[in-house]
Amino acid sequence: MPYSLAIFDLDGTLADSFPWFLRTINDVADRFGFRRVADEDIEGLRHASSREILARLEVPLWKLPAIARHARRLKAEAAAEISLFAGVETMLRTLADNGVQLALVTSDSEANAREKLGDSAALIAHFDCAASLFGKPAKFRRVIRRAGVDPDKVIAIGDEVRDIEAARAVGIACGAVSWGYAAPAALQALAPDHMFEHMGDIAETLCGNVGWISEA
């Protein structure tokens, strides 16, 4: 088995929150005084890095902590609107049943994450949640230490450019999903170790031929 630990992102990777984000972003923009997102802006933003997105939307960096707190509160209120992608529960259980430790790293709160995951939260051995001044690399390092595995046995799976960048900063493998926030072409341009087109691809890649049965 190539990997002993799989670290997942939440929004856009396991949880289908992009529609909620599009419905909410302009209310947040009005509240915190950054540029609204027009329909014609969306595809361009999906090809941009996190830094480029902040620059294009003219988000004041000093407001980011307050924006993050507000977004977490809105997500908690909208929990019923945000579901897991089809196949997530089976994929996570397949990995766990085949000896892969599971971790979740997200800027959302652990309470929000557990609510979104539902019964699948019990499969996650390590949570590292909430915003961090040091970003995802620091969270990845903490999770790897807690899991007690070698970095060459770890893969981080996410849907954004920053997920790939964070994995490489820590020296672990990276997998990118095609169904999240970032455009697949933007992710492929960074040549992740694995590009997942379908939820079932994750279990097949990490566990081999294990009789995957899709929930889709």
Side-chain angles (χ1 to χ4, degrees):
M1 187 188 310
Y3 301 110
S4 300
L5 172 66
I7 306 175
F8 286 92
D9 172 58
L10 180 60
D11 289 305
T13 302
L14 302 180
D16 187 10
S17 58
F18 194 47
W20 169 85
F21 171 82
L22 293 178
R23 291 193 300 272
T24 307
I25 184 61
N26 284 334
D27 290 338
V28 178
D30 293 342
R31 181 184 181 97
F32 289 96
F34 59 88
R35 192 165 69 79
R36 293 170 65 89
V37 177
D39 289 345
E40 58 268 25
D41 296 330
I42 294 170
E43 190 59 26
L45 293 173
R46 294 186 71 224
H47 286 265
S49 69
S50 298
R51 295 180 189 87
E52 290 169 338
I53 291 170
L54 293 176
R56 291 186 192 184
L57 298 185
E58 300 172 5
V59 179
L61 295 182
W62 65 271
K63 289 186 179 181
L64 283 178
I67 293 171
R69 287 193 298 271
H70 183 66
R72 285 195 295 271
R73 186 163 59 251
L74 292 178
K75 277 184 188 175
E77 295 170 356
E81 302 174 34
I82 302 173
S83 60
L84 298 179
F85 286 105
V88 165
E89 295 94 335
T90 296
M91 179 272 292
L92 293 176
R93 184 165 294 283
T94 300
L95 295 181
D97 287 348
N98 281 270
V100 180
Q101 289 191 68
L102 305 179
L104 188 79
V105 167
T106 176
S107 59
D108 206 346
S109 68
E110 184 171 336
N112 282 0
R114 286 183 176 278
E115 184 166 3
K116 287 179 192 174
L117 288 168
D119 291 343
S120 295
L123 300 171
I124 307 295
H126 310 283
F127 286 83
D128 201 315
C129 303
S132 168
L133 289 175
F134 302 102
K136 280 197 167 182
K139 291 184 173 189
F140 286 170
R141 291 188 182 97
R142 283 197 297 267
V143 166
I144 292 167
R145 284 198 301 270
R146 291 202 297 265
V149 299
D150 293 331
D152 62 358
K153 296 293 186 182
V154 182
I155 183 170
I157 300 173
D159 67 305
E160 296 184 73
V161 167
R162 61 177 176 160
D163 297 317
I164 298 174
E165 293 173 341
R168 291 199 167 134
V170 176
I172 60 177
C174 51
V177 304
S178 65
W179 53 80
Y181 281 56
L187 299 170
Q188 289 169 337
L190 294 180
D193 296 288
H194 303 282
M195 188 78 198
F196 300 115
E197 301 293 335
H198 306 285
M199 192 65 67
D201 294 343
I202 298 175
E204 289 175 1
T205 298
L206 272 62
C207 299
N209 185 9
V210 293
W212 166 264
I213 300 174
S214 174
E215 295 177 354

